[in-house]
Amino acid sequence: MATERTFSIIKPDATRRNLTGAITAKLEEAGLRVVASKRIHMTKEQAEGFYGVHRERPFFGDLVSFMISGPVVVQVLEGENAVARNREVMGATNPANADEGTIRKTFAESIEANSVHGSDSAENAKIEIDFFFKPEEIVG
Ligand code: RTP
Ligand code: MG
């Protein structure tokens, strides 16, 4: 498997609890390298655009409100099989179902305030990276 990139967000519940470093350490321990990172406070328009695929889901409004409730850290992660590796270390969406040792099992507060986002495919990773980063902001 060739080197791949994925997109990650450290969500507001985690920045609020000062967990940026602890979560990044777990990503790095999983073999992922942070090749771009910035702390931002998303606008409503950005959050709605980013989660556009979930627009029709019942939790959409709450999700957008949560994602703009505080700062987030958006990151580009690089590594072998990065998309799958990141999903693995994140754990299941609902922390109650997440495996021991995963980021969500260790840190998440609820199915919504679940500390991290990670792209679900290489195709979406590219779209999500382009949504937040200019090429020159990524240093591999
Ligand atoms: P993500 O996109 O954030 O990496 O998480 P995911 O693939 O595991 O979950 P997804 O189904 O894509 O949902 C996106 C985010 O919406 C929130 N959510 N809330 N209240 C609910 O039932 C519910 N379901 C999902 C979570 O913050 C989830 O990460
Ligand atoms: Mg998802």
Side-chain angles (χ1 to χ4, degrees), residues 51 54 87 93 117-120 128:
Y51 281 116
H54 293 315
R87 297 290 293 188
T93 308
H117 162 84
S119 309
D120 58 14
E128 294 176 355

Side-chain angles (χ1 to χ4, degrees), residues 56-70:
E56 304 305 321
R57 308 276 283 276
F59 59 80
F60 180 74
D62 286 345
L63 175 60
V64 168
S65 300
F66 165 61
M67 290 301 290
I68 65 174
S69 68

Side-chain angles (χ1 to χ4, degrees), residues 8-34 37 66 71-75 77 86 89-91 101-109 113-118:
S8 165
I9 304 178
I10 300 175
K11 295 185 177 182
D13 67 285
T15 60
R16 192 176 293 129
R17 287 175 291 150
N18 207 21
L19 293 171
T20 298
I23 289 174
T24 302
K26 284 219 178 251
L27 298 171
E28 291 178 341
E29 281 159 20
L32 298 161
R33 184 176 293 270
V34 180
S37 183
F66 165 61
V72 300
V73 178
V74 291
Q75 296 178 319
L77 308 176
N86 184 39
V89 69
M90 283 163 57
T102 61
I103 291 170
R104 282 166 169 169
K105 181 70 175 189
T106 309
F107 299 118
E109 296 181 319
N114 60 2
S115 303
V116 281
H117 162 84

